[in-house]
């Protein structure tokens, strides 16, 4: 009856319904004011109902209404929704719990409740009588969006924050820098965006494709843009975790400031922002000047992002330039390090210490395990489960995001109709059966798996419609894995989820999402053979 995604822990249905009308009131108790503002705006736009402020409805005045309040006994992010003769009551263990309950209420009102203006003025808005008890499984329920490979303008980012909120996801991992672009304004180093935010052309499709888009591509977010994004996310109880990639994936920064590169090995002044995909050999030089430069970058980043965690990348750092550089070899000897892997670990540890001194925590891709894991660092485990398992056993927090399961740039079908056939085939059902916690971990070790995350790398996603096509509806399956108390993967009722997905696609339609229909690609998206042959195995990046 409810067709909710993600599925709540318990639903008890009853006969009857609450009808919302122009007379219905919206009440918020202390701590629920943010959810009240959001709900009045969202439902007001979609329904045309004023939902004026009023006292808590009790059913005595003949007017159905909505009440929002905090009840700390429910626990963090948990909520209870009761629809009965007195109206609709949404209680949350905290402000976030009230907000997630409000998201469920909007789903109960039907797909048209997700529109930005009424489509039928004479329709009835009703919530069935029921009781829902719900709480999340993980505290980190993330989506990583790569805006470095293909820039997404600010309005597109805000839209994805709304889509995350709809699915009860609460961490937005913002991949802001890479070889192909630097996307955040750093006032002390303006060339990072003046030069590093633009490339002359772009490889179209997979790196094996012969096609090029010969137009310049780029863009960046001003610091006020970032503040707006962070504030918009916070209103939706989403934490924005910035990623500034070091010491690899740094050619855009080196193109802007050549002294950051290994100048005794290559002519860094000849480098431009990279225009193709893959693992780039041009990495940062491990000098004191490089450390100071990035400390200045991070100082501005910390001012913009209040998140507990700051992501420093740390992945796919080829060591060839370091091995052939006399200056780097002298640095390794000076520091008393064993080899280049130890040098990368030293680089990561420097920023772990630097961030810790400022009350923040470092998180990086699982390559930061090479040469020894930095003290206090957390791991984004992308190369399967092994890195996350090792980190959890060593007492480090882990976000599970293995590429084999939750890389949403991977193709969704094995046939020739996928627009960009890269990576492993990962169907909607594959994502739904993903399990973030490795079974070999003890309960104490498993507690270090603080959550999970779906990653959206945009090399082959040239615009927002392509991002939508790759992400949805698989993100709905991932959201249920991250939020709901599901059984073991083999025991999950995918048929029920698939049935609910049909109803959920009507919500996505109302939200304007250009998703891939669960039954296959839309006719206009059939472009077999245009962007390169199917590529088995890992995609052209992490």
């Amino acid at each position: 009856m409810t067709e909710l995604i993600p599925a709540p822990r318990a639903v008890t249905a009853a006969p009857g319904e609450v009808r919302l009308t122009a007379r219905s009131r919206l009440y918020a108790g202390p701590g629920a004011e943010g959810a009240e503002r959001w709900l009045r705006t969202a439902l007001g736009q979609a329904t045309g109902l004023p939902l004026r402020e009023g006292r808590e409805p009790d059913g005595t005045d003949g007017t159905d209404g909505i009440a929002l309040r905090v009840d700390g006994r429910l626990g963090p992010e948990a909520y209870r929704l009761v629809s009965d003769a007195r109206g609709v009551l949404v209680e949350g263990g905290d402000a976030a719990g009230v907000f997630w309950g409000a998201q469920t209420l909007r789903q109960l009102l039907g797909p048209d409740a997700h529109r930005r203006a009424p489509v039928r003025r004479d329709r009835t808005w009703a919530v069935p009588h029921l009781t829902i008890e719900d709480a999340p499984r993980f505290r980190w329920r993330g989506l990583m969006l790569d805006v470095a490979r293909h820039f997404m303008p600010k309005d597109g980012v805000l839209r994805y924050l709304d889509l995350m909120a709809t699915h009860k996801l609460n961490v937005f991992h913002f991949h802001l820098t890479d070889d192909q672009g630097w996307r955040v304004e750093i006032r002390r180093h303006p060339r990072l965006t003046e030069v590093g935010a633009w490339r002359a052309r772009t490889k179209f499709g997979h790196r094996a494709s012969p096609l090029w888009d010969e137009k310049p591509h780029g863009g960046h977010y001003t610091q006020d843009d970032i503040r707006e994004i962070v504030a918009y996310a916070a209103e939706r109880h989403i934490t924005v975790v910035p990623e500034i990639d070091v010491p690899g994936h740094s050619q855009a920064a080196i193109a802007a400031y050549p002294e950051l590169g290994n100048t005794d090995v290559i002519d860094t002044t000849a480098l431009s922002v990279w225009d193709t995909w893959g693992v780039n050999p041009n990495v940062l030089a491990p000098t004191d000047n490089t450390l100071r430069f990035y400390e200045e970058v991070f100082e501005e980043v910390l001012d913009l992002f209040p998140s507990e965690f700051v992501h420093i990348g740390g992945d796919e750092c080829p060591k060839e330039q370091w091995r052939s550089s006399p200056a780097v070899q002298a640095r390794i000897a000076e520091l008393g390090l064993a080899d280049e892997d130890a040098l990368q670990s030293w680089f990561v540890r420097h920023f772990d210490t630097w961030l810790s001194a400022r009350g923040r925590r470092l998180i990086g891709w699982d390559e930061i395990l090479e040469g020894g894991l930095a003290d206090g660092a957390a791991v984004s485990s992308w190369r399967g489960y092994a890195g996350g398992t090792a980190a959890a056993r060593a007492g480090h927090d882990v976000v599970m995001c293995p590429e084999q399961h939750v890389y949403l740039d991977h193709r969704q079908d094995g046939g020739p109709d996928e627009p960009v056939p890269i990576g492993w085939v990962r169907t909607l059902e594959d994502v739904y059966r993903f399990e973030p916690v490795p079974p070999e971990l003890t309960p104490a070790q498993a507690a270090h798996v603080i959550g999970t995350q779906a990653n959206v790398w945009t090399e082959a996603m040239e615009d927002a419609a392509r991002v939508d096509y790759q992400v949805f509806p698989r993100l709905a399956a991932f959201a249920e894995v991250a939020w709901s108390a599901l059984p073991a993967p083999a025991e999950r009722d995918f048929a029920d989820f698939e049935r609910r997905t049909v109803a959920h696609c009507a919500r996505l339609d109302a939200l304007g999402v250009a998703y891939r229909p669960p039954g296959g690609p839309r006719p206009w998206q059939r472009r077999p053979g245009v962007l390169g042959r199917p590529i088995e195995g890992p995609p052209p990046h992490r």
Side-chain angles (χ1 to χ4, degrees), residues 491-510:
E491 299 169 8
R492 292 176 189 171
D493 189 349
F494 177 71
D496 175 70
F497 175 78
E498 195 171 33
R499 176 186 61 80
R500 287 182 285 120
T501 299
V502 173
H504 193 64
C505 284
R507 299 182 192 118
L508 298 179
D509 285 330

Side-chain angles (χ1 to χ4, degrees), residues 411-429:
R411 53 197 167 129
Q412 301 170 73
D413 185 84
D417 293 329
E418 285 292 279
V420 183
I422 63 171
W424 291 282
V425 174
R426 285 298 170 259
T427 65
L428 184 68
E429 182 172 0

Side-chain angles (χ1 to χ4, degrees), residues 255-465:
Y257 292 93
E259 63 272 21
L260 297 174
N262 295 285
T263 56
D264 61 338
V265 177
I266 63 165
D267 178 10
T268 55
T269 62
L271 292 179
S272 59
V273 178
W274 212 27
D275 58 10
T276 189
W277 320 124
V279 178
N280 191 304
N282 296 303
V283 301
L284 297 174
T287 66
D288 288 340
N289 287 339
T290 299
L291 296 180
R292 299 293 87 75
F293 182 96
Y294 274 88
E295 285 173 0
E296 291 170 356
V297 168
F298 280 116
E299 283 174 3
E300 297 193 28
V301 167
L302 296 191
D303 185 57
L304 296 171
F305 296 92
S307 57
E308 174 188 5
F309 288 97
V310 175
H311 209 292
I312 56 90
D315 64 309
E316 292 182 333
C317 179
K319 309 297 194 301
E320 287 79 6
Q321 288 186 357
W322 286 358
R323 292 188 184 99
S324 59
S325 165
V328 172
Q329 293 302 309
R331 183 68 156 167
I332 290 173
E334 172 194 343
L335 295 169
L337 301 175
D339 54 22
E340 292 77 18
D341 284 344
L343 180 64
Q344 180 171 346
S345 181
W346 167 84
F347 200 105
V348 171
R349 285 176 182 273
H350 175 88
F351 286 103
D352 179 52
T353 301
W354 190 91
L355 289 167
S356 296
R358 289 154 181 81
R360 306 298 185 94
R361 292 184 64 187
L362 179 146
I363 185 168
W365 303 108
D366 55 63
E367 282 93 332
I368 67 174
L369 292 162
E370 296 172 5
L373 187 61
D375 295 338
V379 168
S380 300
S381 187
W382 76 272
R383 296 180 298 177
Y385 289 98
T389 300
R393 284 173 170 163
H396 295 273
D397 287 341
V398 176
V399 176
M400 282 292 185
C401 49
E403 64 173 333
Q404 298 90 339
H405 299 276
V406 289
Y407 270 38
L408 299 186
D409 51 321
H410 285 203
R411 53 197 167 129
Q412 301 170 73
D413 185 84
D417 293 329
E418 285 292 279
V420 183
I422 63 171
W424 291 282
V425 174
R426 285 298 170 259
T427 65
L428 184 68
E429 182 172 0
D430 290 333
V431 175
Y432 191 67
R433 297 194 187 281
F434 163 59
E435 172 50 48
V437 180
E440 62 267 29
L441 294 179
T442 68
Q445 294 165 349
H448 284 291
V449 181
I450 60 175
T452 183
Q453 178 173 289
N455 292 341
V456 181
W457 301 105
T458 62
E459 289 98 328
M461 302 183 205
E462 67 275 7
D463 55 34

Side-chain angles (χ1 to χ4, degrees), residues 4 118 137 154 302 389 394 424 481:
L4 297 172
R137 179 185 180 190
K154 180 189 67 178
L302 296 191
T389 300
W424 291 282
V481 170

